[in-house]
Amino acid sequence: MTDDTPTTTVSVTINGEEYVRETEDRRLLVHFLREEVGLTGTHQGCVVGKCGACTVLHNGVPKKSCMLYAAAVDEDEITTVEGLAKRAEMNGVAMKTREGTTFHPLQMGFKQNHGLQCGFCTPGFLMTATALLRENPDPTREEIKSAISGNICRCTGYTSIVDSIEWAAARLREDEPAVADGGIDSTPCEGCNCEIADDVEGNDE
Ligand code: FES
Ligand code: FES
């Protein structure tokens, strides 16, 4: 930043905490989050609004943070992937892994259903799905596909991502976990040492 670079003082609540920063007027929100606030869970992909990796909730609405200037969110609320577990705890829906990590049910859903491979796209999918399940707690697979149509994944082929969101939706509704249509059962495979079923606290059988 040079002395004559136009700047704005931005006061923004991110994951429940207030941050005040003087930032360049042209600073994109994705860069503000990653470089000025240190929240690197929001990923920078295309930076032209195409991939969805940078998706955050802006006043509860999913937005691509490469399409917003930081100065435009002054006095607003942002939720990033780092705030998901805390949000779940506040809502009484948090889940814990056997190792004691607190997850939002969507994060657990992605873990249980192999909803990620490299994980680059995952924060964006999680934020988009968070907004979807708040608006529509029982989405059809077609509705899930429509909601995530602005997020690109180069690894998974999407089926496991839809499974993951469906699984989380069922957990949030306190239904049985969704296992149909390509989803995985939580029963460990016979003869295999995977511990998928053990990942969820209380699932000790
Ligand atoms: S980095 Fe924002 S949409 Fe790709
Ligand atoms: S898991 Fe690699 S891009 Fe989606």
Side-chain angles (χ1 to χ4, degrees), residues 30 43-55 64-67:
V30 63
H43 288 170
Q44 173 193 317
C46 63
V47 201
V48 291
K50 299 286 188 194
C51 74
C54 65
T55 304
K64 292 171 177 170
S65 59
C66 70
M67 293 284 98

Side-chain angles (χ1 to χ4, degrees), residues 116-122 152-156:
L116 67 153
Q117 290 181 26
C118 78
F120 187 82
C121 67
T122 311
I152 292 174
C153 175
R154 65 188 175 183
C155 303
T156 62

Side-chain angles (χ1 to χ4, degrees), residues 35 45 78 93 95 126 180 196 201:
E35 296 162 23
I78 299 293
V93 296
M95 303 177 87
L126 287 169
I196 288 169
E201 189 178 64

Side-chain angles (χ1 to χ4, degrees), residues 132-133 136-144 165-166 169 173:
L132 167 68
L133 297 189
N136 180 0
D138 191 9
T140 63
R141 289 181 74 82
E142 288 310 310
E143 287 170 334
I144 293 172
I165 297 169
E166 200 174 39
R173 293 193 312 271

Side-chain angles (χ1 to χ4, degrees), residues 13 55-63 76-80 87 127-135:
T13 301
T55 304
V56 298
L57 300 185
H58 175 213
N59 294 336
V61 178
K63 300 267 182 76
D76 290 346
E77 283 195 25
I78 299 293
T79 306
T80 70
R87 180 189 176 114
M127 302 319 293
T128 299
T130 298
L132 167 68
L133 297 189
R134 194 186 51 230
E135 293 296 314

